[in-house]
Amino acid sequence: MSDASIAKLLLLALSFCWGLSWSAMRIALDEVSPWGMRLIGFSIGAATLLVLIKAQGRSLVIPRGRDRLHVIVAAFFIVVAFGVAGTFAQLMANTSRVIIVNYSMPVWSSVMAYFVLGERINRQAAIGLALCIAGLVVLVYPVAEQSVREPVGLLLALVCALGWGGGTVYMKWARIKGDLLAISFWQVVVGVVIFGIAYLVFNGLPHYEPLHWRTWGGLLFNGVLGTGIAYFIWFNIIGRLTTVMASLGSLINPVVGVFGAMILLGDRPTLSDAIGFALIFGAAACVMIPSRQKPPAEGDSV
């Protein structure tokens, strides 16, 4: 089997790991506090990732000094902000809406890259930004008339997307030296430390409480598959596929996530939800799928 065929199968597996992890998280939150959810989930994820990294014989070493500092700062965006906002968002808003707002992250990444990295916003990115804003309005306006709780949850989902997007741009700017998988592992470890401190502050000393099997299933799925194995799969994919194929494949994630929430949680999207989903999905597609460029003319510099 060719590398491309293996990568496509891995993309399918990744879509289930990341897409269904949102529903798994929501199931676990019925019995576990948000801080406990993140502490347990990321601890399991870090342990899983460590086993997989060691099994491949990869190095965990990050150079001392600025590179380690950059890992910590990036972790506050990609792990802490993303994890906290995403968890609390699900307690306040419909899971399928949280999922689709979160997957607006490529749009915000392109906007941040314009200001931080000087990357130009092309026509596709501009269209994507317009579609994204329209999608957010369509999602938020109907529920804002019913209660304040749902819009606040969607705002937290937007913070979740901004955290991931900001972390992605920060890592491009920082150019951290080291194995990408090792960098991700240490970011997850930073998250475990922060969530552990937050758990002690808000929940006190941990104590054992019997949990239903659904809750354990949600915790294990989110930690083992949604964090550890998902990161491992992703970094094995990007070395096998072109950017276009990887981007197309990652667009499956929100689709699996929304359908998973409908099946596992009983979410029933309204017509305005469906329109908002379509607009934000289209926005992400505009940004993530590169436009075709003309080949350079003979004599042009590359």
Side-chain angles (χ1 to χ4, degrees):
M1 188 178 290
S2 66
D3 274 1
S5 298
I6 293 171
K8 289 171 185 176
L9 291 175
L10 289 174
L11 270 174
L12 186 60
L14 181 67
S15 69
F16 281 91
C17 290
W18 269 342
L20 297 181
S21 66
W22 291 91
S23 294
M25 189 194 314
R26 186 64 190 86
I27 289 169
L29 285 169
D30 285 339
E31 287 192 282
V32 180
S33 72
W35 298 112
M37 167 73 231
R38 281 313 190 186
L39 175 58
I40 296 170
F42 275 99
S43 296
I44 295 172
T48 304
L49 203 50
L50 178 61
V51 170
L52 293 172
I53 290 172
K54 286 297 184 181
Q56 280 203 334
R58 301 171 86 142
S59 173
L60 286 170
V61 176
I62 303 295
R64 292 178 181 271
R66 62 177 294 278
D67 290 295
R68 293 187 183 183
L69 179 61
H70 285 318
V71 168
I72 295 171
V73 174
F76 273 89
F77 287 104
I78 294 176
V79 176
V80 179
F82 178 86
V84 173
T87 306
F88 280 96
Q90 289 212 76
L91 293 176
M92 305 183 76
N94 180 284
T95 296
S96 56
R97 291 177 187 144
V98 170
I99 292 170
I100 203 66
V101 171
N102 171 70
Y103 277 99
S104 67
M105 63 181 78
V107 178
W108 307 117
S109 292
S110 67
V111 174
M112 292 178 195
Y114 170 77
F115 291 102
V116 177
L117 305 176
E119 295 182 4
R120 70 185 186 90
I121 297 180
N122 58 21
R123 184 173 61 180
Q124 279 185 219
I127 293 171
L129 181 60
L131 289 174
C132 183
I133 293 171
L136 290 172
V137 171
V138 170
L139 282 177
V140 174
Y141 182 75
V143 297
E145 297 179 326
Q146 301 168 14
S147 69
V148 177
R149 187 179 178 84
E150 185 87 13
V152 171
L154 295 182
L155 178 62
L156 286 172
L158 181 58
V159 171
C160 187
L162 291 171
W164 188 278
T168 302
V169 173
Y170 182 86
M171 287 188 65
K172 285 184 179 180
W173 172 81
R175 298 179 181 275
I176 303 170
K177 296 182 179 67
D179 188 304
L180 282 175
L181 202 53
I183 292 170
S184 294
F185 167 75
W186 288 116
Q187 287 175 350
V188 172
V189 170
V190 171
V192 171
V193 173
I194 299 300
F195 295 137
I197 294 171
Y199 183 91
L200 291 174
V201 171
F202 294 105
N203 295 103
L205 293 173
H207 56 277
Y208 175 76
E209 290 183 6
L211 301 174
H212 288 91
W213 67 268
R214 278 169 54 89
T215 304
W216 279 115
L219 289 169
L220 289 170
F221 188 99
N222 188 260
V224 176
L225 294 171
T227 304
I229 291 178
Y231 275 112
F232 184 77
I233 290 175
W234 175 246
F235 286 112
N236 274 279
I237 286 172
I238 58 178
R240 297 170 184 265
L241 285 182
T242 63
T243 301
V244 177
M245 285 301 299
S247 298
L248 278 169
S250 62
L251 285 174
I252 304 172
N253 299 341
V255 177
V256 172
V258 170
F259 278 101
M262 292 171 63
I263 295 168
L264 298 173
L265 305 176
D267 282 4
R268 292 294 177 265
T270 63
L271 177 60
S272 61
D273 288 340
I275 295 171
F277 294 171
L279 288 169
I280 293 178
F281 183 85
C286 281
V287 174
M288 294 178 73
I289 302 172
S291 57
R292 291 185 179 181
Q293 298 180 343
K294 293 180 180 180
E298 186 175 353
D300 287 352
S301 59
V302 179

